[in-house]
Amino acid sequence: MRPNIPEELYKQIDEKIYLDLEVHILNKRFIKAEKEGNSGFATYIENLIIQTTNKRKEVNDLLKNEGVKILDPVADDDFVEYKFYQKKLGGIAEGSMRYWKPAMKLNLKNRMSVYWK
């Protein structure tokens, strides 16, 4: 379902979803690097976590100023759906973004490949 909100907000909602997933993946890799005793790699990942978290905070602030709230994802076998709403002067615009899981994994792999060069 696609409510009548600007395209820029859709891009920011999409960016926030992917940044949340990136932070989650980086945290898992950080814990794994610490367990293995690889302190240099752990420091590198910690810096990436800080940078990604700062980007996420900027996007969150922008969405908050626009009155957008993203709800927790609902997953089934093949898809993940993120519902969101925007408070407007005349009421609330509700919508959802639905992602195919293999496509999300590929997008995350492409986005995070910049970190592992």
Side-chain angles (χ1 to χ4, degrees):
M1 182 183 329
R2 190 167 171 119
N4 188 16
I5 62 174
E7 188 66 31
E8 180 62 29
L9 282 180
Y10 282 109
K11 291 179 183 176
Q12 294 301 322
I13 291 168
D14 187 59
E15 184 69 15
K16 185 206 181 300
I17 290 167
Y18 277 106
L19 285 173
D20 286 345
L21 293 171
E22 282 183 26
V23 168
H24 176 73
I25 291 168
L26 289 171
N27 280 327
K28 286 174 66 175
R29 290 208 177 179
F30 177 74
I31 291 169
K32 183 178 176 185
E34 279 190 331
K35 283 183 181 176
E36 292 175 354
N38 194 347
S39 62
F41 188 59
T43 304
Y44 174 71
I45 292 177
E46 187 176 20
N47 290 333
L48 289 176
I49 290 170
I50 292 169
Q51 292 172 2
T52 308
T53 304
N54 288 338
K55 286 183 207 173
R56 185 174 69 172
K57 183 173 178 354
E58 291 173 11
V59 173
N60 280 343
D61 290 343
L62 179 102
L63 291 174
K64 186 176 179 181
N65 290 338
E66 293 291 331
V68 176
K69 173 80 173 167
I70 302 173
L71 304 176
D72 291 334
V74 177
D76 61 13
D77 291 338
D78 295 327
F79 294 94
V80 178
E81 184 174 20
Y82 289 85
K83 294 185 185 246
F84 63 90
Y85 64 87
Q86 180 188 22
K87 292 182 183 177
K88 292 183 165 186
L89 295 176
I92 296 176
E94 295 179 340
S96 64
M97 296 184 83
R98 193 169 161 101
Y99 297 94
W100 188 43
K101 286 182 182 179
M104 274 186 105
K105 287 180 184 179
L106 180 64
N107 285 340
L108 278 169
K109 183 179 177 183
N110 292 338
R111 285 174 65 110
M112 296 189 75
S113 67
V114 176
Y115 302 145
W116 315 126
K117 286 186 178 180

